[in-house]
Amino acid sequence: MTLGREDDPGPPSDAAESDAPALDPAAREELITSNLGLAHQLARRFLHRGEPLDDLVQVASVALVKSVDRFDPSRGVDFAAFATRTIIGELKRHFRDKGWAVRASRRVQELYLELGHATGTLVQQLGRNPTVAELAEATDASEEAVIEAIEAGQGYRAASIDASESEDDPLSARLGERDGNYDSVEDRALLGPALAGLPEREQSILRMRFVEGLTQSEIAAAVGVSQMHVSRLLSSSLQKLREGIGQTEAGRR
Amino acid sequence: MTETTDRLESGDRVELRFPARGDLIVLARLVTSAISARAGFDIEELEDLRLAVGELCLLTLQGSDAQHGDLRLELNVLGDAIEVVCTLERAGIASTFEPEGVEVARLSEQILDALVDEHGRESRDGSVRAWLRKRRGGHAE
């Protein structure tokens, strides 16, 4: 079953293609009609790349016709296998020709920003944080795409903790995931030793901000100081953490 | 904008185990995206791998009574390639033969033919195992 085949070789290099004898029109029609379902199924496999199904089905159907015209049964290759390779090759070429890769990475970033707005709106409407399913519905994206956008969004974040501190950023405020260098699980793994070195009140404020996801104003109300003071405390605590983590990493080398 | 993704190197291995349910194959796809991005695959190769891993899971589930089984996914970074092994564990063989299952499996295999460099499937000791291997930078066009 193992086949050492090239990725997307396209029709010209496929073993089944040759100066294929032309089928009579009725047989050709029959072969096309009986494989339209295959074209449809393959088109659906590419739906998550953001193109309308109708367009994909059209590309797949044209590719099916090509594969019927290029197929040479005397080569002993199964038609469905040949057609599948041709159709997938054409679908991939379609995305490539449309500059899909560039648009896709832009789409992820746009969806991430869109999720921020949708989260804010839904928090107001629902009186609680939205679920991924609700965010998916609000942004007209699949749940998988929403999860990926949240995850990928972490890679497109400003590096400064202080610069990204914003009271009105819904994702930052509600998901607690855009607060800078220390928000990923990986980063948090480094935090333990550094955190233990901070005064208890600063540890507590950091926990409220980054673990519980409270805004600076909410922390200020809880602790009984001004929001500006919370902001200053966070900045100074984070600076100490950076230094502490630097020492931890240096110690590991 | 800063890209903070950390690279995975040859020899790195990630394993995921989840209940063998079709609606959870999304987990396999998400992990595949994350791993292939960190292994240096470009976005088109990443999407191909994601699609292929979905088919690999489907293929592993075919012909099995997966009601109580687990799918175990291993992703191995091997030089400029990724190897994905999907194993169905703790599930019996289906008591009824489903002809459409054969068709589904055949389509999955044909899709894998078109998307990856190598793939295979075998049954051993009561568990079904399907695998694929894909190199990066392998666009023929």
Side-chain angles (χ1 to χ4, degrees):
Chain A
M1 186 189 305
T2 301
L3 300 165
R5 292 183 178 176
E6 290 182 285
D7 174 47
D8 188 19
S13 62
D14 198 286
E17 197 210 355
S18 65
D19 296 326
L23 292 169
D24 72 71
R28 180 177 179 274
E29 189 68 27
E30 165 63 21
L31 200 51
I32 293 171
T33 310
S34 61
N35 282 284
L36 278 174
L38 172 68
H40 207 276
Q41 277 185 305
L42 292 173
R44 289 193 69 83
R45 297 295 211 278
F46 285 78
L47 252 186
H48 65 279
R49 300 191 189 194
E51 285 281 300
L53 180 60
D54 286 353
D55 291 4
L56 298 178
V57 169
Q58 193 178 354
V59 171
S61 304
V62 170
L64 170 65
V65 173
K66 276 188 192 173
S67 40
V68 167
D69 291 338
R70 289 172 178 172
F71 183 63
D72 181 358
S74 68
R75 297 285 181 128
V77 178
D78 177 50
F79 174 74
F82 175 66
T84 300
R85 287 173 62 75
T86 307
I87 292 169
I88 288 181
E90 290 291 333
L91 283 164
K92 288 178 63 174
R93 191 173 298 119
H94 168 75
F95 284 103
R96 225 173 286 159
D97 291 349
K98 293 188 77 174
W100 167 82
V102 176
R103 285 189 299 117
S105 61
R106 198 178 300 145
R107 191 161 54 87
V108 170
Q109 292 172 49
E110 284 169 358
L111 181 56
Y112 181 71
L113 295 174
E114 213 182 315
L115 286 172
H117 297 301
T119 303
T121 309
L122 286 169
V123 163
Q124 295 221 325
Q125 283 174 4
L126 304 169
R128 58 168 170 78
N129 287 325
T131 63
V132 167
E134 287 162 346
L135 281 170
E137 196 183 341
T139 54
D140 200 22
S142 68
E143 291 183 28
E144 190 173 348
V146 168
I147 293 169
E148 281 207 307
I150 291 172
E151 184 63 29
Q154 311 307 304
Y156 297 101
R157 195 185 313 115
S160 162
I161 294 168
D162 305 323
S164 65
E165 266 298 299
S166 164
E167 288 286 291
D168 55 5
D169 181 335
L171 261 198
S172 162
R174 297 296 163 188
L175 299 181
E177 287 185 325
R178 285 193 65 195
D179 292 303
N181 289 344
Y182 303 118
D183 54 357
S184 73
V185 172
E186 296 87 335
D187 294 331
R188 281 189 209 127
L190 285 170
L191 272 176
L195 202 57
L198 291 180
E200 201 172 317
R201 184 166 78 147
E202 290 184 36
Q203 287 186 36
S204 162
I205 288 176
L206 283 172
R207 198 172 297 111
M208 284 192 261
R209 182 72 190 95
F210 297 107
V211 178
E212 295 166 23
L214 300 184
T215 64
Q216 290 185 7
S217 305
E218 286 166 339
I219 297 168
V223 179
V225 297
S226 72
Q227 181 259 318
M228 282 301 292
H229 191 57
V230 170
S231 175
R232 277 196 297 273
L233 277 174
L234 280 171
S235 293
S236 103
S237 308
L238 290 169
Q239 183 56 40
K240 288 179 202 165
L241 276 184
R242 280 194 199 98
E243 289 160 7
I245 285 175
Q247 284 164 10
T248 305
E249 286 188 300
R252 285 180 181 180
R253 284 182 204 120
Chain B
M1 299 285 184
T2 50
E3 184 57 60
T4 57
T5 302
D6 291 324
R7 289 293 292 262
L8 285 171
E9 305 295 340
S10 188
D12 283 337
R13 178 168 174 275
V14 172
E15 197 173 316
L16 171 74
R17 183 194 295 265
F18 56 96
R21 285 169 26 198
D23 61 324
L24 293 180
I25 289 177
V26 61
L27 300 177
R29 287 202 300 265
L30 285 166
V31 169
T32 301
S33 292
I35 301 303
S36 22
R38 283 161 178 78
F41 282 71
D42 71 27
I43 192 159
E44 183 181 335
E45 294 165 337
L46 181 152
E47 288 290 347
D48 286 350
L49 256 172
R50 207 159 78 134
L51 182 54
V53 165
E55 299 302 327
L56 198 70
C57 292
L58 271 182
L59 201 52
T60 313
L61 289 174
Q62 289 310 316
S64 301
D65 175 14
Q67 292 292 321
H68 307 291
D70 286 336
L71 272 185
R72 182 161 58 87
L73 198 74
E74 290 170 51
L75 298 105
N76 301 303
V77 180
L78 304 169
D80 63 351
I82 281 186
E83 178 191 71
V84 185
V85 183
C86 186
T87 312
L88 179 63
E89 295 176 331
R90 299 192 301 111
I93 303 301
S95 52
T96 53
F97 177 71
E98 295 175 29
E100 67 270 26
V102 175
E103 281 303 307
V104 171
R106 197 165 67 154
L107 179 60
S108 290
E109 282 170 353
Q110 287 166 352
I111 291 171
L112 286 168
D113 285 349
L115 294 176
V116 302
D117 296 298
E118 294 174 87
H119 68 89
R121 179 168 68 140
E122 66 225 24
S123 297
R124 197 166 46 191
D125 303 328
S127 70
V128 183
R129 180 178 175 273
W131 59 273
L132 64 81
R133 209 168 288 138
K134 184 174 174 68
R135 287 190 305 274
R136 63 183 145 85
H139 297 308
E141 294 169 77

